[in-house]
Amino acid sequence: MTGILILISVVYYYRTISIIHTKVNDIAEKNISQTAGLFNSLLQGYNSLSKSLNSNYELTRLLQETHVKETVAIENERTITNIIGAAYYSRNDITGIHILTDRGKVYSYERQFAGVIDNNYAQTSWYNELNASSGNMVWLGMMPGSPIN
């Protein structure tokens, strides 16, 4: 009787362990799948936000203006900041939006205070990668040499 009881206990133990491993694996796969879906949704949202800024005719026109009076330039900067601010407040997961022009001008909108601009950002590798992208979306990740600290 003891031998049969031990045999049944061992079989039951291994079967239970197998079922638990299967359930844990299924739950882990679902969690990973949901997390990947969440990240894809976030990335699509950021992509959509940047496209909405890129396709904003008024913003593009203001960024391309070069020879204007100082009072008009100040008004243009205010309008650019307002456009960026509207995009910024459309989502609550954004900590800042920064537009860097090819003429070295930086427009920023941040949650706290305006950061310190690194004037040598044009010599960094990430900036060269952006220039080489010809307008396509580039995901750079976290970098120590951010233009805004």
Side-chain angles (χ1 to χ4, degrees):
M1 276 312 260
T2 306
I4 293 173
L5 184 61
I6 291 173
L7 180 65
I8 291 174
S9 296
V10 168
V11 170
Y12 179 77
Y13 172 78
Y14 283 111
R15 182 69 181 138
T16 303
I17 291 295
S18 173
I19 291 171
I20 290 173
H21 281 290
T22 303
K23 295 287 183 185
V24 168
N25 284 341
D26 289 344
I27 291 171
E29 285 179 15
K30 287 178 184 176
N31 284 343
I32 290 171
S33 175
Q34 288 176 349
T35 302
L38 174 65
F39 282 130
N40 282 334
S41 294
L42 284 172
L43 293 177
Q44 287 173 356
Y46 297 142
N47 192 12
S48 174
L49 179 66
S50 66
K51 284 181 179 179
S52 72
L53 287 172
N54 285 338
S55 64
N56 186 318
Y57 173 76
E58 183 70 9
L59 179 62
T60 305
R61 183 186 66 76
L62 291 171
L63 289 171
Q64 290 175 346
E65 282 189 2
T66 55
H67 303 293
V68 293
K69 295 178 185 175
E70 187 175 342
T71 56
V72 174
I74 292 171
E75 186 61 33
N76 286 352
E77 286 191 21
R78 200 173 290 148
T79 304
I80 290 169
T81 303
N82 288 342
I83 293 169
I84 297 170
Y88 172 80
Y89 284 113
S90 70
R91 296 182 59 128
N92 61 359
D93 58 339
I94 297 174
T95 57
I97 297 176
H98 309 286
I99 297 178
L100 296 91
T101 68
D102 56 352
R103 292 187 292 281
K105 200 85 163 122
V106 178
Y107 300 94
S108 298
Y109 207 98
E110 293 186 77
R111 186 168 306 279
Q112 294 174 357
F113 58 87
V116 178
I117 298 172
D118 178 10
N119 291 327
N120 296 321
Y121 68 86
Q123 286 76 35
T124 60
S125 61
W126 63 263
Y127 188 76
N128 292 332
E129 191 174 338
L130 285 177
N131 278 336
S133 72
S134 69
N136 294 325
M137 180 69 71
V138 177
W139 294 100
L140 299 172
M142 300 297 288
M143 299 213 155
S146 172
I148 311 297
N149 294 322

